[in-house]
Amino acid sequence: MPSARPVASSWDGPRRRGRPTGAARFGAAPPPTSPGAVEPVDSGRRVDTVYRPGGPVDVIATLRPLSRGSGDPAHRVVGSDVWLALRTPEGPASVLVRPVGETVAISAWGAGASWAVAHGPDLVGRGDDWTELDVSAHAFLEQARHRQPGLRLLRTNTVVAMLVPAIMEQKVTSRQAWRAWRYLVRRFGTPAPGPAPEGMVVPPDADTWARIPSWEWHQAGIEPGRSATVMRVVKVAPALERTLTLGRGGELVASRLQSIPGVGPWTAAETAQRAHGDPDSPSVGDYHVPALVGWALTGGPVDDDGMLELLEPWRGHRERVVRLIAGSGFRKPTFGPRMTIQDHRGH
């Protein structure tokens, strides 16, 4: 049975002189704990847990969906480790996720450290069960699964924190959305606590998103339609967070998310994949995903309906199949000009 036991460290911050950078600041990962839980302590100190997943976990691949581009101030890969700057229900936290043999060591700092450590194993797949997924009938998928035994679906347990960036990514290129994300997070976020790599920032909480003035959204390149959707979302943040009690996604979660004007099937799916760990929510309406699935499974492009038809044999696991394809290294052919990047800041 997978387990995770949190422990509190006496580490109280880096020394002023001779301070190393990144994960090297505080030495080796904590050793596996002995049987019995130790209550986490959070008084500005480091809080740790060691998660034993009972199988391989590819930390970088599993957490990749949390990255909003290479310059994301809330996500950083250092070697085989991943740093996250998270906004938790208890406050900001810096989280370091490190593969250590057959375990995953999770350390956190900040007001939200204890919450982050308690839910840290969910980030690397606790509760994500692939045992019923059978891809043996398709050679490409069988090989992709064989090459990615450590791929898991993450669950952040934070709905608004996943929904806001998904709204920013609506109907624009990734480059546009990630530029807006970097601008707003750096301007209105909180410096990541503890020894997180320099430049990392915890994204704003719901109240802060709500107070961002219209001209700052404009400067970020977010037009009034998307910023208005964010405003509607943050006004009902507590109700959205309660959808986590409904399980790992599904139709009820999707309908609750889509009850907010401006949140459609694509945005709901992108959110449920990350916040809830939904294994069956492929991103219908995505600019790239249907073609990627089509080329990988049939050797040609398909639309949304074609993608759903191709994925139907794996209903219940359709997002897992999409993640296998995306993580396999397969790339669809590219044709024609790139999508035009629109800049709304000058209008």
Side-chain angles (χ1 to χ4, degrees), residues 70 81-82 91 121 135 144 146 176-177 205 222 224-225 257 270 278 280 299-300 315 317 321 324 330 332 339:
S70 60
D81 306 337
V82 177
V135 293
H146 177 73
Q176 285 176 287
D205 59 14
I222 302 291
L257 297 177
E270 290 283 307
D278 193 336
D280 195 44
R315 175 174 286 275
H317 305 274
V321 172
L324 281 176
F330 176 84
K332 63 182 177 68
M339 176 184 283

Side-chain angles (χ1 to χ4, degrees), residues 11-21 25-26 194-195:
W11 187 91
D12 60 359
R15 299 181 178 180
R16 291 184 179 274
R17 301 183 64 180
R19 188 170 95 176
T21 59
R25 292 182 183 178
F26 50 88

Side-chain angles (χ1 to χ4, degrees), residues 18-323:
R19 188 170 95 176
T21 59
R25 292 182 183 178
F26 50 88
T33 55
S34 58
V38 179
E39 287 295 323
V41 176
D42 178 20
S43 57
R45 297 182 297 169
R46 167 179 154 195
V47 182
D48 298 303
T49 193
V50 175
Y51 172 53
R52 299 169 179 80
V57 172
D58 186 330
V59 168
I60 293 177
T62 297
L63 296 178
R64 187 170 291 126
L66 296 182
S67 173
R68 308 290 175 173
S70 60
D72 186 352
H75 183 281
R76 189 78 57 85
V77 176
V78 181
S80 60
D81 306 337
V82 177
W83 282 92
L84 302 171
L86 301 182
R87 176 65 61 177
T88 82
E90 296 179 1
S94 295
V95 182
L96 173 61
V97 185
R98 315 173 67 193
V100 182
E102 297 181 353
T103 70
V104 179
I106 302 169
S107 303
W109 296 259
S114 294
W115 188 96
V117 162
H119 295 83
D122 292 347
L123 288 173
V124 287
R126 179 172 63 183
D128 177 37
D129 186 2
W130 291 60
T131 56
E132 298 300 318
L133 174 60
D134 182 4
V135 293
S136 60
H138 196 286
F140 173 85
L141 291 177
E142 185 176 33
Q143 186 177 53
R145 180 59 180 151
H146 177 73
R147 291 181 175 179
Q148 301 175 84
L151 180 63
R152 298 287 180 267
L153 299 188
L154 64 92
R155 176 181 165 103
T156 66
N157 292 286
T158 54
V159 180
V160 171
M162 299 297 103
L163 186 49
V164 169
I167 293 168
M168 291 186 191
E169 294 175 355
Q170 292 174 345
K171 300 180 181 180
V172 296
T173 65
S174 296
R175 184 182 301 176
Q176 285 176 287
W178 294 342
R179 180 179 62 194
W181 173 253
R182 291 193 301 268
Y183 176 83
L184 292 169
V185 169
R186 287 170 178 160
R187 188 153 177 79
F188 297 100
T190 304
E198 184 177 358
M200 291 199 72
V201 182
V202 177
D205 59 14
D207 290 341
T208 303
W209 286 119
R211 292 195 300 269
I212 296 176
S214 59
W215 60 85
E216 292 285 7
W217 291 101
H218 185 70
Q219 181 62 29
I222 302 291
E223 82 286 349
R226 283 183 290 161
S227 62
T229 301
V230 172
M231 295 302 103
R232 288 190 287 266
V233 162
V234 297
K235 286 181 180 179
V236 294
L240 290 172
E241 301 300 336
R242 287 195 291 272
T243 64
L244 294 167
T245 65
L246 301 176
R248 302 184 75 89
E251 292 183 3
L252 184 54
V253 168
S255 67
R256 295 282 176 85
L257 297 177
Q258 292 179 59
S259 67
I260 300 170
V263 176
W266 181 88
T267 307
E270 290 283 307
T271 302
Q273 291 163 11
R274 295 162 174 81
H276 302 78
D278 193 336
D280 195 44
S281 60
S283 299
V284 174
D286 194 270
Y287 186 71
H288 298 288
V289 172
L292 177 67
V293 171
W295 279 103
L297 299 186
T298 69
V302 297
D303 58 12
D304 284 323
D305 290 339
M307 175 182 72
L308 293 177
E309 183 178 352
L310 289 174
L311 294 175
E312 183 60 29
W314 300 286
R315 175 174 286 275
H317 305 274
R318 291 177 296 177
E319 177 58 18
R320 292 192 176 107
V321 172
V322 172
R323 287 292 309 282

